[in-house]
Structure formats: structure tokens, C-alpha cells
Amino acid sequence: MNRKGKLYFRYGTMGSAKTALLLTMAYNFEERKMQYACLKPFIDTREGTRCVIRSRIGIERDCSWIYTDTDLHQLARSLFEKSGKIIDWFLIDEAQFLTAEQVDQLARVVDDFGSNVICFGLRTDFKSRLFEGSRRLFEIADTIDEIKSTCTCGRKTIINARIDSNGDFVEEGAQVEIGGDDRYIAVCRKCWRNKRIEQSSRDILPFEEAIVNNADHQ
């Protein structure tokens, strides 16, 4: 087979227009009559049971679900057999939620069929730790690109900070918790660190005051 595809990983923080870029690419492929497929992990439930990829700016497109037990190499083969054609481009949203095994399966789609696979997703979670799917993509992707966005201070965003109802950063909890602007904010590393220091100081002061008050009453 002479087709030479690539496995791409395009990552950025929340709000960096990753999904909008994916949908724009899908539109361009459609205009050029190219074969493509949009997919995303089923764990992303922000659109309820609707099987769509939707951007914050309001545009959306139908997609296929990727379940935790989906074999993506077999899925690609099934799509080829159904359409009678090799799909030129696979566009994967929220790729951080893929398993390492599924990323390997995507690599096989590229190598065996010559398709191009572009994975869009986050690099790290709210604790600044790599997601499983992202880690594997960093390890084996042919091309890795950062989609940059800017913190309110002007620096580049790096951290996807999880916030509570008061806007404070949450530091404990499950790695995966689906949410939008009400649960996450993208910030630079310095702002993330400063906010955590501020919160720690705020938590320590009442404790110290309690100790002083207790000593005064003894």
C-alpha cells in the first residue's frame, strides 16, 4: 500500500478552540469531497445522549462513539467495508480519554491502511498529570502540535484547573469529571501556583487563630 498516513496529536488547554479546529477541518474535508469520520469517547457526556461533537462557539457535527472496549482498528475496518472506500481522515475529539491500547490501535490504522488520524485533546488533568491517552500519543504520534491559548495574565495557559462554586481551585478528586466553564478554568503555571498558595494561606489562618483562642482560654 502506497498511502502514507500520519498519527497527529494536537493538544491544548480547555478553551483553546481545539474542537472548533476539528469541526472546521471536517467542514473543509466535506467541501472537498474527501472521506472522513469524526469520533469521540462516550465518557464525554456534556451533550447528553446526542452523538455529536460540539464546540463552545455553537457549531456541531455528528460523530461516532468510542466506548472503553471499542477496538478502533476494527472500527476503521468496518467503516471501510461499509463505505467501500478507505477513509482519508479520522478526527478524534477528547483524545485524552482514550486508553493507551486504543491509541496503539489508531497507530495501526495509520500504518495498515494509510489513513491520517488527528487526535485533539488535553495534555494534563487538573493536577497537572498526564492523561493515559495523551501520554501514549506523546510517545508514538508522528506529529505533535500545541494549540496555544492565553491566561488572563498574558502568559500561555498550561493548567486545566478544576474550580468549585466559589471559584477556588480543587486539588482532590477523580481524574475525570466532565464539566465546562462552571468546573474548569485554563491558567498559566504561575497563576495556578499563586492561587494555590493563596488558598493554603487562607486555610492556615483560621487554624492558627483557633490555637491562639484556645490558649487564651486555658
Side-chain angles (χ1 to χ4, degrees):
M1 182 175 292
N2 295 323
R3 295 168 57 93
K4 295 181 180 180
K6 284 187 177 182
L7 175 60
Y8 299 82
F9 182 34
R10 293 183 173 170
Y11 70 93
T13 53
M14 297 185 72
S16 59
K18 299 182 300 300
T19 301
L21 178 58
L22 181 156
L23 294 172
T24 300
M25 293 184 70
Y27 174 79
N28 288 334
F29 293 153
E30 189 172 278
E31 288 287 293
R32 290 167 174 75
K33 310 300 182 185
M34 299 174 70
Q35 299 294 315
Y36 74 95
C38 296
L39 304 93
K40 78 169 182 177
F42 182 74
I43 193 172
D44 183 5
T45 56
R46 283 173 292 181
E47 303 304 322
T49 58
R50 297 180 63 214
C51 193
V52 297
I53 294 174
R54 188 174 190 276
S55 169
R56 292 165 184 254
I57 63 176
I59 57 176
E60 64 180 44
R61 188 170 289 267
D62 292 340
C63 68
S64 298
W65 289 125
I66 300 173
Y67 299 95
T68 54
D69 61 350
T70 298
D71 183 323
L72 292 172
H73 187 272
Q74 184 56 48
L75 175 62
R77 183 184 294 276
S78 298
L79 291 173
F80 299 158
E81 293 173 352
K82 183 178 179 179
S83 66
K85 300 177 181 178
I86 295 293
I87 293 175
D88 299 308
W89 296 88
F90 286 91
L91 304 176
I92 316 293
D93 197 29
E94 305 293 350
Q96 71 273 8
F97 296 137
L98 298 175
T99 66
E101 183 179 6
Q102 286 174 326
V103 174
D104 288 340
Q105 292 162 3
L106 290 175
R108 288 178 56 207
V109 170
V110 173
D111 297 340
D112 294 349
F113 305 126
S115 299
N116 291 286
V117 177
I118 307 184
C119 295
F120 295 83
L122 304 175
R123 177 174 60 173
T124 57
D125 62 17
F126 72 108
K127 294 182 180 180
S128 73
R129 306 295 185 222
L130 286 169
F131 284 97
E132 178 182 347
S134 304
R135 177 183 292 108
R136 191 60 180 147
L137 282 163
F138 274 116
E139 291 169 344
I140 67 170
D142 297 298
T143 300
I144 299 171
D145 298 306
E146 182 179 14
I147 303 171
K148 298 178 182 179
S149 62
T150 306
C151 180
T152 55
C153 73
R155 296 182 179 85
K156 184 180 73 172
T157 58
I158 293 178
I159 308 295
N160 302 294
R162 185 179 294 171
I163 57 176
D164 61 20
S165 57
N166 296 318
D168 287 335
F169 290 174
V170 176
E171 300 192 35
E172 299 297 332
Q175 183 182 52
V176 178
E177 182 177 319
I178 303 301
D181 294 338
D182 60 326
R183 291 297 290 148
Y184 292 94
I185 181 173
V187 295
C188 70
R189 184 179 57 249
K190 184 174 182 178
C191 285
W192 182 60
R193 175 175 176 269
N194 289 345
K195 178 70 171 178
R196 294 168 71 209
I197 292 172
E198 174 201 324
Q199 288 179 197
S200 297
S201 300
R202 192 195 314 156
D203 293 338
I204 290 172
L205 286 174
F207 177 72
E208 292 178 341
E209 290 173 356
I211 293 176
V212 172
N213 291 335
N214 184 56
D216 291 341
H217 287 88
Q218 289 181 354

